[in-house]
Amino acid sequence: MIIVVEGPSGAGKTTWCRNHAGSSALLEGLPDHSTVPTDPRGAARFWVERNVARWREVLAREARDGLVVVDTDPFKLHFVWTLFRTGQVSEVEWTMQRDAARDAFASGRYALADVFLVSDVDIDTLRARREADPSRTRRNFERHVLLRDTLLRWYGAIDRLEPGRVVFGLPAGGIAPELVAKGKRARRSGLELFDELMKELAAV
């Protein structure tokens, strides 16, 4: 089973994983942004392939341990979608990455986790946490803050695909038994599932 912990920068994802997931936690590794191609098509392929590789790592941990709790969603298409919906990237940039992700989803190389725990911390609290934690630079923090509301809409759309598999808020008591009892998602990938998600997103 794969549980993803997601939320905006400063939402406490990594801290929550360390405190509650123990040996099941798989923390995020930050990319070297200097290696990202500058052309939109190359950048789209770069990000999708990087995140596909992350998904392979998640699957390997699941096969080894049975349960993996992932700090930050490997299916990170939400990032360019939220940038597009807030006017920070062009429609071309969104559609190029969407189409590359669709191909990977259709072939089963990219997929949805089984359960999502999504932090919904308000913007003022996010900023206060950033000021209280000088140890982390939090690159492009203000940009990420602007994405908070659209990020919540993205995961609301995912929840409608199979209701009950998205929890808004990071549970103070950790991973409840009833969440683990949900087990593996009926469909993690496939063209039909991807297109259903895009249809849900078009309605929000």
Side-chain angles (χ1 to χ4, degrees):
M1 183 180 183
I2 299 168
I3 298 175
V4 154
V5 180
E6 187 53 272
S9 179
K13 300 183 295 296
T14 301
T15 299
W16 191 94
C17 287
R18 285 177 174 147
N19 289 342
H20 296 290
S23 62
S24 297
L26 180 59
L27 302 183
E28 182 184 28
L30 297 177
D32 178 359
H33 287 268
S34 68
T35 63
V36 182
T38 55
D39 66 289
R41 191 176 303 279
R45 286 196 300 268
F46 172 90
W47 287 116
V48 169
E49 290 304 319
R50 181 183 187 276
N51 294 325
V52 163
R54 174 71 164 167
W55 180 250
R56 285 198 301 268
E57 182 183 11
V58 170
L59 290 176
R61 281 287 297 271
E62 181 195 30
R64 188 189 77 184
D65 300 334
L67 173 68
V68 57
V69 181
V70 190
D71 173 15
T72 305
D73 194 353
F75 182 48
K76 213 166 182 176
L77 187 62
H78 66 74
F79 185 57
V80 70
W81 183 78
T82 55
L83 289 174
F84 168 57
R85 290 298 295 264
T86 55
Q88 298 184 66
V89 299
S90 68
E91 185 172 6
V92 168
E93 289 171 279
W94 154 242
T95 56
M96 282 183 175
Q97 198 165 141
R98 178 201 64 197
D99 292 348
R102 186 175 188 264
D103 291 343
F105 223 86
S107 65
R109 297 190 305 123
Y110 214 2
L112 296 180
D114 301 311
V115 168
F116 296 89
L117 307 179
V118 182
S119 175
D120 59 355
V121 175
D122 64 79
I123 291 174
D124 288 341
T125 301
L126 291 174
R127 290 199 171 102
R129 287 182 179 179
R130 183 201 186 194
E131 294 301 319
D133 184 10
S135 66
R136 297 184 64 182
T137 58
R138 299 196 185 278
R139 186 176 181 270
N140 295 324
F141 175 82
E142 289 299 327
R143 185 188 207 191
H144 285 262
V145 164
L146 294 174
L147 307 181
R148 175 190 176 274
D149 292 344
T150 45
L151 182 69
L152 295 179
R153 290 202 291 273
W154 172 277
Y155 285 101
I158 286 181
D159 191 49
R160 290 191 293 277
L161 298 175
E162 195 176 329
R165 290 185 175 272
V166 177
V167 175
F168 290 97
L170 304 184
I175 302 169
E178 56 265 30
L179 280 181
V180 178
K182 290 182 181 294
K184 188 174 178 179
R185 180 181 291 273
R187 297 177 299 160
R188 280 181 173 171
S189 63
L191 190 57
E192 182 179 359
L193 182 61
F194 186 90
D195 288 344
E196 286 175 16
L197 175 57
M198 294 302 108
K199 184 177 179 180
E200 290 290 343
L201 291 169
V204 300

